[in-house]
Amino acid sequence: MTSKKLTANAKTKRRFARTPSSDGNTQTPKAAKPGEGPIALKTDAIKVRSKSAPKASSKIASVIALLDRSQGAALAEIVAATGWQAHSVRAALAGLRKKGLQVGKSNIDGVTHYSISVA
């Protein structure tokens, strides 16, 4: 007895092959309706995030504290305080903007400073 090696195309054909129904006709398998089947989601089990302040000991809280100063904070100061890379700090600032904070940018002596501005 020899074993045949199936190609990717043959595997796909076999996976999506038509199956005979009870009356003898062939039909393709139907997709499950939303809320049915093995991957049914229960919306009441999903937790909704609240818009609360971050933990006082978190890195993002230290970034907010640096930005809240009168002169704001330079990128290098935030990098030193968090240990993040510069692109990660910029991404965190974008996330703060997305959460609704007004993060402003100013140039002081050729160095860009970020701060939280009052709208």
Side-chain angles (χ1 to χ4, degrees), residues 47-118:
K47 293 182 180 178
V48 178
R49 275 196 230 173
S50 63
K51 292 191 174 190
S52 62
K55 293 180 186 177
S57 62
S58 69
K59 288 185 180 182
I60 198 71
S62 64
V63 170
I64 292 171
L66 287 171
L67 296 175
D68 206 21
R69 300 183 305 183
S70 61
Q71 74 273 13
L75 185 66
E77 293 174 333
I78 301 172
V79 166
T82 59
W84 294 339
Q85 294 185 7
H87 67 275
S88 299
V89 171
R90 289 189 199 99
L93 294 175
L96 290 175
R97 286 186 189 105
K98 192 173 181 179
K99 288 183 179 179
L101 290 176
Q102 298 292 323
V103 180
K105 187 165 81 167
S106 62
N107 195 346
I108 301 172
D109 296 330
V111 178
T112 304
H113 285 263
Y114 298 94
S115 63
I116 295 177
S117 59
V118 179

